[in-house]
């Protein structure tokens, strides 16, 4: 079987906030892309025989002490290891390595800019001569290396793009990977298919077939334990493992009592009843509620839930290990791998991954991570190809501690049930309006520890407040609140006040990220 990862693109990361986005944009064209720290070894970078390289942007100036440089192994007698595209800082690093001159620009370029293509070339083939692009740089190319010519210019950058077509080397001072560069995808496609000669082999079906073969080779006849949360990552990991090894897989689902309405029942129904997987469902609701009694500080809630979850899961794991289970499977996905690597000095760690870590030392499992090569959107596509239902595949992001961090203040069963009902009403109305896919990235209700005066019939009430949150985002690093129709908000508010006991007021959160976060706690 042909490895769908072979013949793709290696992205060397110089610390840009957009590095993952470069890989995603390449994969969207059906070409595998993998991100490596700029100082990764040649053997590591070449393990899947990439046909080309992309050097990412970064926050440094090329002449700063310890500024990241193109690695020495990249050159063989002055010739690069394959066609290369340098983006922003990557262009400057390429220039510096080959003897060109980079200098600080008197006028920095940030935001939208116009570039003029000055001569025909493969990188801009089929595009207009004037292009809108997204700039984000303070330095610029003063003199390209020998063999390069200028391909485009802007008001402040005489070499907004440069190239050496003979060697397949190109650089652009702007960011083609961001949505603010309208024809950026066309530029990347030209590089992938016309310059590198890549083939579009990366697809959900190809990934599944390759993964099934690799999982069977890795696991053999041994048994595997999977922590099944009900979220999309663990669900797809479970479905993929079940296809590969069938009854050798045992999944453990811990119900903390903090899940959304109907989710515990849906997990059991989907995976045990419909898909025939071996599933151990543990209802630890009372245990979690007891541990969280009178705890109101959000970080303390998170720590208590995380520790108790590990304790409960570890007990199940011990029992299974005693029966011969050798492997522990996790729903780790590619952004977790990139952000947790930390091997490059220029890496900007945004978050650490939060799978089943911290298990006691007496448990000795080998790790299986079947989704570690996938971005979230790819996980969903694989889930669809595996036949998982839409309400699993397209389940909205949900924090690890669950409703505990959306139920602000003291946690009681009554308050959690009120929040569950309000959240279900909000999601139901959004679904009816066709706003759960595409128009919104994350939507939920929050129960506030605030009471307000209200009137119901002839009676005065003094009850709690529900806040509604709906955001749109491509990467969850930034997000904007969704301008939901007023009539929809009116229906949701009316239903919540009438159907949810203990709530008499509904508000809508109109804060973007930044300065706010998506979650409230």
């Amino acid at each position: 079987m042909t490895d769908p990862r072979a013949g793709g693109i290696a992205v060397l990361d110089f610390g840009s906030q957009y590095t993952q986005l470069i890989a995603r944009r390449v994969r969207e064209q059906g070409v595998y892309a993998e991100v490596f720290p700029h100082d990764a070894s040649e053997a590591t970078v070449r393990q899947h025989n990439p046909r080309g390289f992309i050097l990412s942007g970064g926050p440094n100036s090329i002449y700063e002490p310890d500024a990241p440089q193109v690695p020495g192994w990249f050159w063989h007698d002055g010739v690069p290891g394959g066609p290369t595209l340098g983006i922003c800082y990557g262009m400057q690093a390429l220039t510096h390595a080959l003897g060109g001159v980079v200098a600080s620009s008197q006028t920095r370029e940030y935001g939208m800019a116009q570039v003029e293509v000055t001569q025909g070339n493969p990188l801009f083939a089929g595009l207009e001569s004037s292009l809108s692009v997204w700039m984000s740089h303070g330095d610029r190319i003063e003199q390209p290396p020998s063999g390069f010519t200028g391909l485009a210019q802007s008001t402040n950058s005489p070499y907004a793009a440069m190239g050496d077509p003979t060697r397949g080397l190109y650089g652009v001072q702007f960011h083609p990977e961001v949505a603010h560069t309208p024809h950026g995808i066309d530029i990347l496609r030209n590089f992938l298919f016309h310059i590198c000669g890549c083939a579009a082999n990366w697809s959900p079906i190809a990934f599944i077939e390759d993964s099934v073969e690799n999982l069977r080779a890795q696991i053999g006849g041994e048994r595997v334990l999977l922590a099944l949360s009900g979220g999309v990552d663990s669900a797809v990991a479970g479905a993929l493992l079940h296809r590969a090894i069938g009854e050798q897989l045992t999944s453990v689902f811990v119900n903390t009592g903090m899940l959304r309405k109907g989710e515990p029942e849906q997990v059991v129904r989907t995976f045990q009843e419909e898909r025939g997987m071996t599933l151990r469902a543990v209802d630890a609701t009372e245990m979690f509620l007891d541990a969280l009694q009178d705890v109101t500080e959000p970080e303390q809630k998170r720590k208590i839930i995380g520790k108790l979850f590990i304790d409960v899961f570890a007990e199940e794991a011990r029992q299974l290990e005693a029966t011969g289970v050798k492997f522990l499977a996790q729903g780790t996905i590619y952004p977790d791998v990139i952000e947790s690597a930390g091997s490059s000095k220029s890496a900007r760690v945004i978050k650490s991954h939060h799978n089943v870590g911290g298990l006691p030392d007496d448990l000795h499992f080998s790790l299986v991570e079947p989704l570690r090569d996938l971005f979230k959107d790819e996980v969903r596509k694989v889930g669809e190809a595996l036949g998982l239902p839409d309400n699993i595949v397209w389940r909205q992001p949900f924090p690890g501690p669950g409703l505990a961090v959306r139920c602000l203040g003291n946690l009681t069963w009554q308050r959690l049930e009120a929040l569950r009902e309000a959240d279900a009403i909000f999601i139901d109305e959004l679904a009816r309006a066709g706003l759960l896919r595409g128009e919104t990235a994350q939507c939920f209700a929050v129960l506030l520890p605030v009471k307000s005066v209200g009137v119901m019939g002839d009676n005065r009430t003094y009850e709690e407040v529900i806040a509604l949150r709906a955001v749109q985002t491509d990467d969850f690093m930034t997000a904007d609140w969704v301008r939901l129709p007023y009539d929809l908000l009116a229906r949701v508010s009316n239903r919540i006040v009438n159907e949810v006991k203990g709530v008499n007021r509904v508000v809508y959160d109109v804060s973007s990220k930044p300065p706010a976060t998506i979650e409230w706690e």
Side-chain angles (χ1 to χ4, degrees):
M1 179 184 296
T2 301
D3 181 359
R5 300 166 183 79
I9 297 295
V11 181
L12 299 190
D13 180 16
F14 289 92
S16 172
Q17 62 178 320
Y18 301 131
T19 300
Q20 287 190 33
L21 190 56
I22 296 171
R24 284 182 58 189
R25 293 291 181 255
V26 171
R27 292 188 184 190
E28 285 168 2
Q29 308 312 310
V31 175
Y32 180 70
E34 190 165 356
V35 176
F36 301 93
H38 75 275
D39 51 7
S41 69
E42 180 173 12
T44 299
V45 175
R46 292 191 182 278
Q47 60 185 322
H48 293 301
N49 300 314
R51 293 189 66 91
F53 301 86
I54 294 179
L55 311 182
S56 84
N60 298 91
S61 176
I62 194 67
Y63 296 114
E64 290 176 354
D66 299 323
Q69 307 290 339
V70 179
W73 60 258
F74 193 75
W75 313 104
H76 295 276
D77 298 324
V79 179
T84 301
L85 173 64
I87 295 175
C88 198
Y89 181 87
M91 176 191 190
Q92 297 162 17
L94 188 66
T95 299
H96 182 62
L98 292 173
V101 179
V102 181
S104 295
S105 175
Q106 292 183 347
T107 304
R108 298 184 176 189
E109 284 186 298
Y110 291 96
M112 294 301 298
Q114 206 71 17
V115 300
E116 302 297 326
V117 179
T118 54
Q119 63 172 277
N121 64 90
L123 193 64
F124 294 101
L127 302 179
E128 300 292 332
S129 60
S130 182
L131 299 171
S132 295
V133 300
W134 184 260
M135 295 280 196
S136 180
H137 67 98
D139 295 345
R140 69 180 191 180
I141 308 302
E142 292 290 338
Q143 180 62 52
S146 176
F148 283 77
T149 58
L151 303 180
Q153 63 186 22
S154 69
T155 302
N156 296 308
S157 296
Y159 299 99
M162 66 179 192
D164 179 350
T166 302
R167 291 187 287 176
L169 303 181
Y170 295 87
V172 293
Q173 191 59 77
F174 54 87
H175 289 272
E177 71 273 24
V178 303
H180 296 301
T181 299
H183 290 285
I185 294 299
D186 299 315
I187 294 169
L188 289 175
R189 284 182 60 84
N190 283 338
F191 177 70
L192 297 176
F193 301 114
H194 300 322
I195 296 171
C196 296
C198 294
N201 295 326
W202 183 249
S203 69
I205 297 299
F207 171 81
I208 291 169
E209 293 174 351
D210 183 64
S211 295
V212 165
E213 184 176 302
N214 290 335
L215 286 168
R216 287 172 178 168
Q218 178 186 4
I219 296 165
E222 302 293 347
R223 293 173 59 198
V224 179
L225 164 63
L226 169 70
L228 188 64
S229 69
V232 62
D233 298 338
S234 67
V236 175
L240 183 58
L241 281 161
H242 190 245
R243 175 169 293 193
I245 61 173
E247 294 182 358
Q248 292 169 240
L249 174 68
T250 298
S251 297
V252 173
F253 167 59
V254 178
N255 179 10
T256 64
M258 309 296 158
L259 297 178
R260 289 168 288 201
K261 185 177 181 179
E263 285 185 337
E265 296 81 4
Q266 185 186 46
V267 168
V268 173
R269 182 172 62 252
T270 299
F271 294 98
Q272 182 171 281
E273 299 174 9
E274 296 176 4
R275 302 187 74 87
M277 290 171 56
T278 301
L279 176 66
R280 295 175 65 153
V282 181
D283 188 353
T285 300
E286 292 297 330
M287 192 182 304
F288 278 84
L289 284 173
D290 288 344
L292 291 164
Q293 187 173 0
D294 298 324
V295 177
T296 59
E297 203 277 320
E299 192 58 30
Q300 191 177 359
K301 286 181 183 178
R302 291 177 182 273
K303 289 179 179 178
I304 290 171
I305 290 172
K307 182 181 183 306
L308 186 53
F309 180 88
I310 291 297
D311 291 344
V312 174
F313 182 80
E315 182 55 37
E316 296 296 316
R318 286 189 187 93
Q319 296 177 29
L320 289 167
E321 188 181 37
T323 67
V325 173
K326 300 295 185 184
F327 288 90
L328 172 67
Q330 293 189 153
T332 309
I333 64 174
Y334 196 45
D336 301 333
V337 175
I338 296 173
E339 291 162 3
S340 299
S343 60
S344 171
K345 292 179 181 177
S346 60
R348 296 296 190 264
V349 177
I350 299 166
K351 67 183 175 99
S352 59
H353 71 269
H354 52 271
N355 293 301
V356 184
L359 285 175
D361 293 338
D362 63 313
L363 293 171
H364 305 287
F365 295 110
S366 297
L367 197 60
V368 178
E369 296 175 314
L371 307 182
R372 64 178 287 114
D373 287 333
L374 301 184
F375 286 105
K376 178 71 79 173
D377 55 328
E378 295 173 316
V379 173
R380 296 188 193 280
K381 291 175 183 176
V382 168
E384 288 181 322
L386 288 167
L388 286 172
D390 280 358
N391 52 16
I392 293 285
V393 172
W394 292 98
R395 179 163 289 165
Q396 296 217 345
F398 194 54
L403 295 182
V405 294
R406 294 178 179 175
C407 186
L408 278 58
N410 192 32
L411 282 173
T412 66
W413 181 250
Q414 291 75 19
R415 295 189 78 230
L416 280 169
E417 283 290 271
L419 176 57
R420 241 186 292 272
E421 289 297 327
D423 186 77
I425 289 170
F426 189 30
I427 298 302
D428 177 59
E429 290 295 340
L430 287 168
R432 289 170 184 260
L435 296 175
L436 272 184
R437 296 258 304 261
E439 288 77 5
T440 57
Q442 193 166 352
C443 329
F444 54 90
V446 179
L447 182 61
L448 307 182
V450 175
K451 288 191 174 183
S452 69
V453 175
V455 177
M456 291 187 177
D458 295 326
N459 298 317
R460 178 180 182 275
T461 62
Y462 189 57
E463 296 179 329
E464 292 189 304
V465 179
I466 284 284
L468 304 176
R469 181 81 158 136
V471 300
Q472 180 56 277
T473 177
D474 291 327
D475 53 18
F476 289 89
M477 295 170 62
T478 62
D480 194 19
W481 62 279
V482 180
R483 278 65 172 171
L484 293 177
Y486 289 159
D487 58 345
L488 171 65
L489 290 172
R491 283 198 305 275
V492 173
S493 176
N494 186 61
R495 283 192 59 189
I496 289 174
V497 170
N498 281 285
E499 297 176 30
V500 180
K501 187 176 181 180
V503 174
N504 67 357
R505 191 177 298 267
V506 176
V507 298
Y508 186 53
D509 184 348
V510 295
S511 307
S512 296
K513 175 188 178 182
T517 55
I518 294 177
E519 296 286 345
W520 278 50
E521 287 194 347

